[in-house]
């Protein structure tokens, strides 16, 4: 029995034989010296194609449409100016179809999943990866929309969540079992499918962890009240995470270790029970950040919630369950909950 058939046998035991033989995923784009190659798995078979000089990757199977690879890697912004309308969504966790359905419902993308929000800004607040079965599709969707939005005068920014950091450093405990088989067929561990010599790996390493958009600070987990005791240097936080992803041994640095830990911006849950921060701490934090609100994901809520008199907006509304989800919309000076049926409901303070 060869390696491919052994892998499909294992996947068949885990997921059933139909799933194993129909395994389809990709593309994974690798840099080999001066050339790039795209690898797919089509019905359990690895397919490889060189990428032409124009950087276009045309699909040979799967759901990902034609891609235009970025000619140069753009480092994500730390700050963006105020805009008339913006939206934020978090914790997609491999639910690409549901994410796109939500964006279509709110007219952020069109019927063909192309950017249609002109100069608007969409922030994907981390945890695109892990858990669900469409994480690669979701990553390419965000990558593609970021290009389209930029051409239209808008922006799509993806922030790193704790699960992106986990996957990139090889912690695969929450990985959907489909991707274990993908990694075996492609001959790399799954984290190495997003190494620095891959298109998505290089792109992810250039993302931010904290973004200030106008008067709103956005990050996956949250900012610990300790940040109120010092000048909040968002650029330094983002560069520290990027430095760690380039050089993992930097986790021995006490400052970087703290940023990576439970009180850091990708893991912090201190705005919620059982031991939520005090309102005075949130106000001090907002004053230090020169911000009106902090938008966070990470801690799942029954719906998008406005807490601390509007000082904290919790936007992880359970999209990862694959059945429901919401996004936060700022438009015409007001905050709204954007729903899957296309409706908007005014965000009420709790």
């Amino acid at each position: 029995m060869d390696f491919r058939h052994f892998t499909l046998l294992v996947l068949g035991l885990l997921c059933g034989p139909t799933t194993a033989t129909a395994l389809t995923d990709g593309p994974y784009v690798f840099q080999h010296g001066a050339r790039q190659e795209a690898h797919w798995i089509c019905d359990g078979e690895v397919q490889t194609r060189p990428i032409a000089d124009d950087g276009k990757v045309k699909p040979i199977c799967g759901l990902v449409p034609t891609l235009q690879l970025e000619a140069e890697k753009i480092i994500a912004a730390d700050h963006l100016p105020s805009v008339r309308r913006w939206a934020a969504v978090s914790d997609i966790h491999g639910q690409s179809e549901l994410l796109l359905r939500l964006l279509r419902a709110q007219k952020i993308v069109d019927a063909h999943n192309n950017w249609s929000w002109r100069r608007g800004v969409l922030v994907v607040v981390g945890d695109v990866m892990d858990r669900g079965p469409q994480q690669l599709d979701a990553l390419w969707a965000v990558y593609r929309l970021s290009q389209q939005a930029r051409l239209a005068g808008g922006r799509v920014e993806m922030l790193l969540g704790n699960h992106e950091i986990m996957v990139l450093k090889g912690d695969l405990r929450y990985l959907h079992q489909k991707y274990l088989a993908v990694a075996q067929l492609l001959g790399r561990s799954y984290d190495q499918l997003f190494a620095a010599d891959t298109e998505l790996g290089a792109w992810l390493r250039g993302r931010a962890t904290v973004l200030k958009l106008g008067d709103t600070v956005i990050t996956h987990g949250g900012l610990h009240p300790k940040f109120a005791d010092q000048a909040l240097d968002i650029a330094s936080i983002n560069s520290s995470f990027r430095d760690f992803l380039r050089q993992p041994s930097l986790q021995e640095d006490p400052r970087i270790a703290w940023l990576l830990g439970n009180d850091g911006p990708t893991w912090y849950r201190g705005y919620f029970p059982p031991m939520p921060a005090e309102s005075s701490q949130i106000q001090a934090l907002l004053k230090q950040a020169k911000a009106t609100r902090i938008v966070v994901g990470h801690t799942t809520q029954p719906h998008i919630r406005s807490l601390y008199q509007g000082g904290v907006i919790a936007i992880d509304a359970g999209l990862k369950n694959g059945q429901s989800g919401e996004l936060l919309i700022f438009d015409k000076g007001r905050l709204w909950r954007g729903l899957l049926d296309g409706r908007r409901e005014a965000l009420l303070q709790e």
Side-chain angles (χ1 to χ4, degrees):
M1 180 183 294
D2 63 23
F3 179 74
R4 173 185 166 270
H5 285 96
F6 174 76
T7 299
L8 292 178
L9 175 61
V10 171
L11 185 62
L13 293 173
L14 291 171
C15 308
T18 301
T19 302
T21 57
L23 178 62
T24 295
D25 196 36
Y28 293 87
V29 177
F30 301 103
Q31 188 79 37
H32 297 290
R35 62 188 175 86
Q36 287 181 303
E37 287 183 348
H39 298 247
W40 287 264
I41 297 171
C42 304
D43 294 330
E45 296 280 355
V46 177
Q47 304 283 340
T48 301
R49 299 286 188 277
I51 295 173
D53 292 341
D54 63 5
K56 280 193 167 48
V57 182
K58 297 181 180 179
I60 62 173
C61 65
L63 300 175
V64 177
T66 296
L67 298 167
Q68 176 66 59
L69 301 185
E70 295 181 349
E72 55 183 289
K73 301 300 176 283
I74 299 172
I75 299 299
D78 305 309
H79 299 79
L80 290 175
S82 297
V83 292
R84 186 178 71 84
R85 59 181 182 178
W86 54 263
V89 62
S90 80
D91 295 81
I92 288 92
H93 281 297
Q95 299 294 343
S96 178
E97 290 182 12
L98 189 59
L99 168 66
L100 292 171
R101 179 182 158 199
L102 182 59
L103 296 179
R104 288 194 302 270
Q106 294 299 324
K107 305 293 191 294
I108 294 173
V109 302
D110 64 19
H112 301 288
N113 299 325
N114 293 313
W115 182 256
S116 61
W117 226 30
R118 298 185 182 179
R119 295 181 179 275
V121 174
L122 171 67
V123 185
V124 180
V125 191
D127 282 9
V128 173
M129 304 183 84
D130 272 343
R131 300 189 192 279
Q134 300 166 344
Q135 73 169 33
L136 187 72
D137 302 348
L139 286 169
W140 281 125
V142 178
Y143 177 101
R144 180 170 166 267
L145 287 172
S146 70
Q147 295 174 326
Q148 293 179 343
R150 209 160 48 237
L151 291 172
R155 296 290 285 258
V156 173
E157 297 289 342
M158 176 179 161
L159 305 183
L160 297 179
N162 59 307
H163 282 268
E164 280 75 41
I165 303 295
M166 289 170 70
V167 171
L168 292 177
K169 71 177 187 178
D171 184 346
L172 307 178
R173 74 185 97 160
Y174 294 102
L175 192 65
H176 192 281
Q177 56 198 12
K178 161 187 170 181
Y179 294 111
L180 298 176
V182 166
Q184 288 179 321
L185 286 169
L186 292 178
R188 289 191 178 199
S189 63
Y190 195 73
D191 56 300
Q192 287 301 306
L193 297 181
F194 297 94
D197 66 343
T198 70
E199 182 70 17
L200 283 176
W203 179 72
L204 285 167
R205 283 166 174 77
R207 300 310 90 208
T209 307
V210 183
L211 171 69
K212 189 174 182 189
L213 172 57
D215 64 351
T216 301
V217 174
I218 309 174
T219 191
H220 179 68
L223 296 181
H224 193 283
K226 286 182 181 179
F227 280 108
D229 301 328
Q230 56 191 299
L232 180 60
D233 189 342
I234 290 175
S236 176
I237 293 172
N238 288 332
S239 64
S240 292
F241 274 92
R242 292 189 191 108
D243 290 345
F244 163 72
L245 290 173
R246 282 192 296 267
Q247 188 178 342
S249 62
L250 287 174
Q251 66 184 337
E252 302 301 322
D253 181 315
R255 180 175 180 275
I256 290 181
W258 187 82
L259 288 172
L260 291 168
N262 289 338
D263 290 339
T266 63
W267 278 100
Y268 184 61
R269 297 186 192 270
Y271 304 146
F272 310 96
M275 297 179 63
E278 297 178 2
S279 292
S280 59
Q281 293 177 306
I282 301 300
Q283 292 307 311
L285 186 58
L286 292 171
K287 183 177 179 181
Q288 178 63 265
K290 297 181 175 62
T292 300
R293 65 187 69 85
I294 301 171
V295 172
V296 300
H298 187 49
T299 303
T300 306
Q301 308 294 313
H303 55 81
I304 291 176
R305 301 174 65 199
S306 174
L307 308 170
Y308 295 97
Q309 295 79 51
V312 172
I313 313 294
I315 67 167
D316 177 3
L319 201 150
K320 63 174 170 278
N321 66 25
Q323 299 175 3
S324 61
E326 301 179 3
L327 55 78
L328 178 69
I329 296 174
F330 177 86
D331 193 11
K332 299 176 182 176
R334 296 186 62 185
L335 289 166
W336 306 84
R337 293 166 52 217
L339 308 181
L340 273 168
D341 62 6
R343 289 181 299 123
R344 293 184 183 182
E345 291 188 355
L347 183 63
L348 304 177
Q349 292 186 17
E350 298 182 26

